[in-house]
Amino acid sequence: MGAEALRLLVVSTPVGALGSGRGGGVELTLASLVAGLLERGHHLTVLAADGSRLPAGCERARLWSCPGVDQPSWQHQRRDSPVVMPAQALLPRLWQRAVGSQAGFDALINLAYDWLPFWLTPQLHTPLLHLVSMGSVAEVMDAVIADVARWDQRRLAFHTRAQADDFELSEAPVLVGNGFDLEAYGFCAAPEPLLGWVGRIAPEKGLEDAARAAALLGRRLAVWGLVEDPAYAAAVEAAVPAGTVDWRGFLPTSELQAELGRCAALLNTPKWNEAFGNVVVEAMACGVPVVAYRRGGPGELVQPGINGLLVPPDDVPALAAAVADAEGLDRQSCRAWVERTCSRAAFAERLERWLLSALGRSPA
């Protein structure tokens, strides 16, 4: 490590306990952030929902937990929805603990895409920083993020430029990407004739497009993810020939990568502006090329002809037509691209530069 060790409190998402899968990509980001910064010599405490467990590689961090009711996710609200706080809500309890403990830390890092922590930013004595986890989905969130940017944009970091471009910023954004423990992903050189799709089973993820593309090709589509919307999942399955969708459930990384690596290609079909696209990188780490819509974070991660192909958003025939060319790409090139750009060590170094800049410190 090239910098003085920092005492950091990482406040997790108020949607689900760590390890449940309900927090989506934030859980993976938290694991990479905590493990990577621990490896660089910093001291971390994680504050999360009751029932949470620290991911592998994060065992040296402290874990604090709070009881409470999950916060409604903004990605399932209307753009003009107001801020909602359920009775016995987890979100204010997390931040009551964080605010009360702030004196013991050099900085607080918020991973939740919620109004309250952004609003609190100028109120705290200890610097509160935000790794913004989504693009623009609600007017009230756009406004509070813009307020923080005007007050001190150093407090904000984003995963990709496509995500940052959603917001009203006063200067060039800090982009940190994301990071992965690449030892947890095995390379598979000899796949099966199987297409894959990974994500929460919810409308904004666009599973129906991947299923339709697989049906056009007469191929089986393996689907991994937490079923957030059972009615939507049933409608997707009913719209394609029986046997097209092969439901594999939500799996921890160790099990997911072993199955995902056997896919000939991954289809990525979000209907919204994904902030990053963790599953895209997870597939590439296994050697699986990706066919994705040219939208949001995946549109920056997929390098056409190297690790996958991009097609116009919502164009299912184009999605299906690109599969054959994607399957012909060098799978080792997919893995090599991830090793160059998305390792956990590289992510931690980018995070450290952001933290030190926001705190007005310099590396030793």
Side-chain angles (χ1 to χ4, degrees):
M1 187 190 75
E4 177 187 351
L6 299 173
R7 299 165 301 157
L8 303 169
L9 176 62
V10 179
V11 186
S12 183
T13 171
V15 182
L18 289 175
S20 69
R22 297 205 305 277
V26 173
E27 291 192 35
L28 190 150
T29 298
L30 181 143
S32 295
L33 180 151
V34 172
L37 290 176
L38 284 170
E39 288 171 358
R40 295 188 69 81
H42 301 292
H43 308 293
L44 284 94
T45 300
V46 176
L47 177 56
D50 270 0
S52 292
R53 58 183 186 273
L54 288 173
C58 301
E59 293 84 359
R60 288 188 291 117
R62 289 186 297 179
L63 176 62
W64 293 348
S65 63
C66 289
V69 175
D70 280 9
Q71 189 71 10
S73 174
W74 276 106
Q75 62 208 30
H76 299 144
Q77 311 300 313
R78 300 189 316 273
R79 283 200 61 82
D80 62 350
S81 292
V83 175
V84 173
M85 200 75 69
Q88 310 301 316
L90 173 62
L91 179 64
R93 292 179 176 183
L94 289 173
W95 284 97
Q96 184 177 35
R97 178 77 182 270
V99 171
S101 307
Q102 63 177 305
F105 298 94
D106 297 305
L108 281 56
I109 304 175
N110 167 50
L111 299 184
Y113 191 90
D114 284 289
W115 181 86
L116 178 60
F118 287 94
W119 179 83
L120 283 171
T121 308
Q123 322 297 332
L124 273 61
H125 299 298
T126 299
L128 169 55
L129 289 72
H130 309 271
L131 178 50
V132 184
S133 61
M134 293 197 292
S136 172
V137 294
E139 294 169 0
V140 68
M141 287 301 300
D142 290 357
V144 76
I145 291 172
D147 286 344
V148 174
R150 283 189 290 271
W151 183 71
D152 184 356
Q153 194 175 307
R154 295 177 303 171
R155 303 293 185 91
L156 302 174
F158 302 87
H159 291 291
T160 60
R161 182 165 297 279
Q163 175 204 12
D165 285 348
D166 269 2
F167 301 102
E168 182 183 336
L169 304 177
S170 55
E171 56 193 70
V174 172
L175 305 178
V176 296
N178 213 339
F180 299 79
D181 177 10
L182 298 183
E183 293 184 2
Y185 298 87
F187 175 75
C188 178
E192 301 173 9
L194 179 69
L195 299 178
W197 187 95
V198 186
R200 288 178 295 100
I201 316 302
E204 68 273 8
K205 294 293 188 177
L207 173 57
E208 69 272 21
D209 286 9
R212 287 171 56 208
L216 287 173
L217 296 168
R219 301 277 289 274
R220 186 160 52 100
L221 179 71
V223 174
W224 293 273
L226 186 72
V227 178
E228 237 179 38
D229 188 332
Y232 168 73
V236 169
E237 185 169 25
V240 294
T244 299
V245 179
D246 179 1
W247 301 103
R248 301 288 183 93
F250 172 77
L251 298 179
T253 297
S254 59
E255 298 175 38
L256 172 64
Q257 62 86 28
E259 296 190 15
L260 179 59
R262 296 199 293 268
C263 291
L266 179 86
L267 304 184
N268 184 254
T269 52
K271 295 292 184 179
W272 67 326
N273 187 17
E274 289 274 13
F276 186 73
N278 289 336
V279 300
V280 168
V281 178
E282 290 186 287
M284 294 173 184
C286 299
V288 180
V290 178
V291 181
Y293 287 154
R294 191 179 289 106
R295 173 183 278 150
E300 296 181 22
L301 300 173
V302 175
Q303 307 296 300
I306 297 173
N307 55 21
L309 292 169
L310 294 171
V311 301
D314 310 318
D315 190 336
V316 173
L319 188 73
V323 167
D325 287 341
E327 290 175 328
L329 296 176
D330 179 10
R331 292 172 70 90
Q332 187 60 57
S333 294
C334 299
R335 172 75 183 199
W337 183 87
V338 174
E339 290 173 345
R340 288 194 305 271
T341 60
C342 296
S343 70
R344 190 166 71 188
F347 179 49
E349 186 175 355
R350 294 190 293 265
L351 287 168
E352 185 181 86
R353 286 201 302 268
W354 166 49
L355 292 170
L356 293 174
S357 174
L359 297 176
R361 303 188 187 188
S362 299

